[in-house]
Amino acid sequence: MNRLLIALLLATSAFYQPALHAQSAQASLKAALLYRFVQYSEWSVNPPAQQVYCVAGDIEVFNALTAMLPEQAKTVLLKNADQATECTVLFLSLELASQAGWSPLLQPSGRLTVVEGAELFRQGAMFGLIAEPQRISFRVNLTLARQNGFHLSAQMLKLAKEIH
């Protein structure tokens, strides 16, 4: 009986592992994009002494970002919008688009904003991640970024799917 149970558990985990791997790979890609957006952006007004990366709505992106950043970098997993006061970089997941209270964080504040999905992007984010089959692309609201005092690298803008 124990052998049958172990065999069943192994077969089940092998069945679900590719889906878990794809999900974690996607989270790692989102975290890497977030990190690169910061590296290729300049705060022209009041640059922060230390970046505070805040992630809301996606624990996997938070974990991937925390693992990727140097030890001295600060990451915060936001449970509610009121916790975002110290954030210099903000990532909002697709699930938060329909929840009240998160979109005001996209208003001009001196923080770099990255979101998933078109709805939050239209509400005032600087970067929008677009999930496509086998990849993630991004769009940039260059006008908004400039209005908020950011200078974005030309190399990064070349890679954007859309620039507004």
Side-chain angles (χ1 to χ4, degrees):
M1 179 70 177
N2 284 340
R3 288 183 183 184
L4 179 61
L5 183 59
I6 290 171
L8 182 61
L9 287 173
L10 288 173
T12 305
S13 68
F15 177 75
Y16 287 111
Q17 204 165 23
L20 290 174
H21 178 69
Q23 190 175 18
S24 64
Q26 190 174 51
S28 295
L29 180 57
K30 291 174 189 177
L33 284 169
L34 182 60
Y35 180 62
R36 291 295 182 194
F37 293 157
V38 173
Q39 286 187 317
Y40 289 102
S41 301
E42 292 179 22
W43 276 250
S44 58
V45 179
N46 299 327
Q50 178 189 23
Q51 296 294 355
V52 178
Y53 293 82
C54 296
V55 175
D58 196 326
I59 187 74
E60 288 188 4
V61 171
F62 172 77
N63 290 337
L65 185 63
T66 302
M68 174 185 308
L69 292 174
E71 286 183 27
Q72 68 272 16
K74 184 173 181 182
T75 55
V76 177
L77 180 62
L78 300 177
K79 301 291 185 192
N80 61 60
D82 297 336
Q83 296 174 308
T85 56
E86 66 177 324
C87 301
T88 59
V89 181
L90 176 66
F91 174 81
L92 298 178
S93 73
L94 182 62
E95 291 77 32
L96 299 177
S98 62
Q99 295 181 19
W102 292 99
S103 61
L105 295 178
L106 301 175
Q107 302 310 311
S109 62
R111 74 173 60 103
L112 188 102
T113 53
V114 181
V115 298
E116 288 182 296
E119 186 176 336
L120 281 172
F121 182 73
R122 283 192 300 270
Q123 292 178 28
M126 291 176 213
F127 294 91
L129 301 181
I130 305 164
E132 297 177 347
Q134 305 298 320
R135 68 183 220 153
I136 295 175
S137 61
F138 65 95
R139 58 181 69 148
V140 178
N141 189 331
L142 184 58
T143 304
L144 181 65
R146 287 180 177 162
Q147 288 172 351
N148 280 282
F150 287 90
H151 174 72
L152 305 180
S153 164
Q155 288 99 344
M156 179 179 52
L157 293 174
K158 287 180 191 177
L159 299 174
K161 183 169 185 161
E162 298 174 25
I163 299 174
H164 299 270

